[in-house]
């Protein structure tokens, strides 16, 4: 009966030491007047999640030997049911911090350029922003639900910056002649990845085709970089210095391998050749029809599931379902019935109607 209290007394000094040490770890240090904050903009990469580039904040203080990069675009591939949670929009992203040299080394190895914009902030603004980053980093608030257009690595940094400055930022929206849609903004980034481009053009719904405001375009890292480059405060430029800190080797990104258009052309050419060889071309027509309706039916089931179950707003209200009907799967899998021809005619009419809609 006397051993338990003795053990507690023995552990008490260690508990007190941990209690006094932990706040010192979580409490941000006081920066010197020489501290600076920079926006780092990373060029697009080859991976799907890197096609649109990346944004991060660098906090440097030569007097303290501090040089950290804070990144809101971190996620864990080991998360259970990773791909399902990503499609549903329930994947947790979080804020992380790494040394500046480690950050640059990783992007140099990937061959991706990194540019830096040193922000002309006052010492108290630098301290306020750094304190918010450190406080968030050591709290559950570092986790958030990622939303591609509304809440990502770029929008979080812009919101953090605007909440930390003493005077509001003056953005120059005259740089954009006409308000583009989300789909138009994504098109140049998707060009090197035709299969991803096809999937996103099919998977993204009506919200993607709405015109964007100047603030809404800042979800893209390059758009945020250009906006800050022309931003001012009290008639003074917000960016004090801009430089490139990682210069990759010259490389031209171009689609490689089989593209969707190449697959379609190959299918048409092969069908024509088989048609010439077979004495009964009707069999070939039935086979192609089954393949076509099976593929479109599976895509329709996927789009319906995303529209009903995903938390991502851009995949909702998807008019592609007007021709990618889930019921197409019945025509592709079951044997031909009397209603098959009538259904095929209706499907072709729907497909032709949707094809006339704008997709830019």
């Amino acid at each position: 009966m006397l051993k338990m209290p003795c053990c507690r007394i023995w552990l008490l000094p260690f508990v007190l030491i941990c209690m006094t040490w932990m706040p010192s770890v979580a409490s941000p240090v006081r920066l010197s007047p020489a501290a600076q904050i920079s926006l780092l903009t990373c060029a697009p990469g080859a991976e799907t999640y890197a096609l649109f580039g990346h944004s991060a904040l660098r906090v440097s203080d030569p007097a303290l030997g501090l040089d950290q990069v804070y990144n809101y675009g971190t996620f864990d591939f080991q998360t259970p049911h990773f791909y399902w949670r990503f499609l549903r929009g329930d994947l947790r992203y979080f804020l992380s911090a790494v040394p500046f040299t480690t950050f640059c080394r990783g992007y140099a190895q990937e061959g991706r350029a990194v540019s830096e914009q040193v922000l002309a902030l006052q010492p108290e603004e630098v301290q306020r922003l750094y304190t918010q980053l450190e406080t968030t980093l050591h709290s559950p608030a570092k986790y958030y639900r990622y939303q591609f257009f509304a809440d990502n690595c770029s929008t979080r940094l812009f919101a953090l910056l605007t909440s930390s400055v003493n005077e509001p930022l003056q953005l120059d929206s005259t740089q954009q002649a006409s308000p583009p849609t989300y789909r138009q903004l994504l098109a140049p980034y998707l060009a090197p990845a035709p299969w991803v481009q096809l999937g996103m053009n099919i998977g993204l719904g009506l919200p993607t085709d709405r015109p964007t405001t100047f603030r809404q375009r800042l979800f893209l890292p390059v758009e945020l970089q250009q906006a800050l480059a022309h931003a001012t405060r009290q008639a003074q430029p917000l960016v004090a210095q801009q430089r490139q800190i990682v210069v990759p080797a010259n490389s031209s990104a171009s689609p490689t391998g089989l593209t969707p258009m190449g697959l379609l052309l190959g299918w048409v050419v092969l069908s024509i050749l088989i048609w010439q060889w077979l004495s009964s071309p009707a069999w070939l027509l039935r086979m192609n029809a089954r393949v076509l309706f099976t593929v479109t039916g599976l895509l329709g089931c996927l789009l319906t599931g995303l529209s009903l179950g995903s938390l991502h707003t851009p995949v909702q209200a998807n008019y592609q379902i007007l021709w990618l009907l889930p019921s197409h799967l019945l025509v592709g899998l079951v044997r031909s019935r009397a209603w098959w021809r009538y259904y095929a005619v209706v499907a072709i009419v729907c497909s032709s109607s949707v094809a006339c809609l704008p997709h830019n």
Side-chain angles (χ1 to χ4, degrees):
M1 297 296 295
L2 297 177
K3 291 184 178 180
M4 291 298 294
C6 292
C7 291
R8 292 176 182 174
I9 294 174
W10 182 75
L11 291 174
L12 183 59
F14 295 94
V15 174
L16 294 176
I17 292 174
C18 292
M19 291 178 64
T20 57
W21 176 76
M22 288 179 64
S24 65
V25 174
S27 300
V29 299
R30 187 68 185 176
L31 300 177
S32 72
Q36 291 181 331
I37 289 184
S38 307
L39 175 70
L40 303 182
T41 304
C42 310
E47 300 294 336
T48 302
Y49 62 84
L51 285 175
F52 306 101
H54 182 54
S55 296
L57 282 182
R58 176 189 182 187
V59 180
S60 60
D61 190 345
L64 299 179
L66 174 67
D67 202 353
Q68 288 275 100
V69 175
Y70 295 85
N71 168 24
Y72 265 107
T74 316
F75 57 90
D76 185 8
F77 272 116
Q78 303 302 320
T79 302
H81 312 293
F82 175 84
Y83 291 104
W84 162 247
R85 298 190 66 174
F86 177 79
L87 289 175
R88 189 176 182 274
D90 194 27
L91 182 65
R92 290 202 311 176
Y93 279 60
F94 56 92
L95 173 67
S96 64
V98 296
F100 174 69
T101 54
T102 303
F103 182 86
C104 291
R105 188 185 308 117
Y107 280 88
Q109 292 174 352
E110 294 181 13
R112 298 170 62 183
V114 179
S115 61
E116 179 182 28
Q117 292 172 303
V118 181
L119 305 181
L121 301 179
Q122 301 173 8
E124 62 268 21
E125 295 173 330
V126 173
Q127 182 67 49
R128 188 182 302 124
L129 203 157
Y130 171 68
T131 300
Q132 290 191 40
L133 285 170
E134 278 293 308
T135 302
T136 304
L137 182 65
H138 295 92
S139 70
K142 71 177 183 179
Y143 296 100
Y144 71 102
R145 195 180 72 191
Y146 178 86
Q147 289 290 316
F148 184 36
F149 292 155
D151 197 358
N152 65 3
C153 64
S154 296
T155 60
R156 289 246 158 182
L157 298 185
F158 181 73
L160 182 62
L161 177 62
T162 54
S163 65
S164 301
V165 296
N166 296 330
E167 299 87 13
L169 303 181
Q170 303 297 324
L171 301 179
D172 185 7
S173 59
T174 61
Q175 300 298 319
Q176 188 68 45
S178 60
T181 65
Y182 286 106
R183 198 182 299 272
Q184 290 172 334
L185 288 172
L186 299 180
Y189 298 92
L190 295 172
W195 285 103
V196 179
Q197 184 178 34
L198 175 64
M200 293 194 68
N201 281 334
I202 292 178
L204 294 176
L206 189 60
T208 313
D209 296 302
R210 294 170 181 165
T212 59
T213 64
F214 185 76
R215 290 288 185 95
Q216 289 174 333
R217 293 196 286 272
L218 303 186
F219 78 98
L220 288 171
V222 173
E223 295 289 332
L224 176 61
Q225 179 190 36
Q226 294 177 354
L228 295 189
H230 297 91
T232 58
R233 282 195 314 164
Q234 296 182 339
Q236 296 297 323
L238 176 64
V239 176
Q241 183 182 7
Q242 183 165 339
R243 60 196 175 198
Q244 194 165 21
I245 55 178
V246 176
V247 181
N250 294 329
S251 61
S252 57
S254 57
T256 58
L258 185 62
T259 63
M261 184 57 66
L263 179 62
L264 179 60
L265 292 176
W267 183 26
V268 172
V269 171
L270 182 61
S271 298
I272 294 176
L273 293 177
I274 295 177
W275 192 330
Q276 296 297 323
W277 293 339
L278 293 178
S279 57
S280 177
W283 174 84
L284 179 62
L285 293 177
R286 287 194 299 268
M287 182 189 69
N288 284 347
R290 287 185 179 276
V291 171
L292 177 62
F293 279 105
T294 300
V295 172
T296 54
L298 290 175
L299 288 175
C301 292
L302 177 61
L303 295 186
T304 302
L306 289 176
S307 298
L308 297 178
S310 179
L311 301 176
H312 287 297
T313 304
V315 302
Q316 300 171 3
N318 195 332
Y319 54 80
Q320 303 286 355
I321 299 180
L322 294 176
W323 69 282
L324 294 174
L325 294 172
S327 53
H328 289 347
L329 199 58
L330 295 175
V331 181
L333 297 180
V334 303
R335 292 185 177 181
S336 179
R337 294 289 187 270
W339 50 265
W340 187 91
R341 292 184 179 180
Y342 299 101
Y343 182 89
V345 171
V346 173
I348 292 173
V349 171
C350 292
S351 301
S352 303
S353 301
V354 175
C356 297
L357 295 176
H359 289 77
N360 295 325

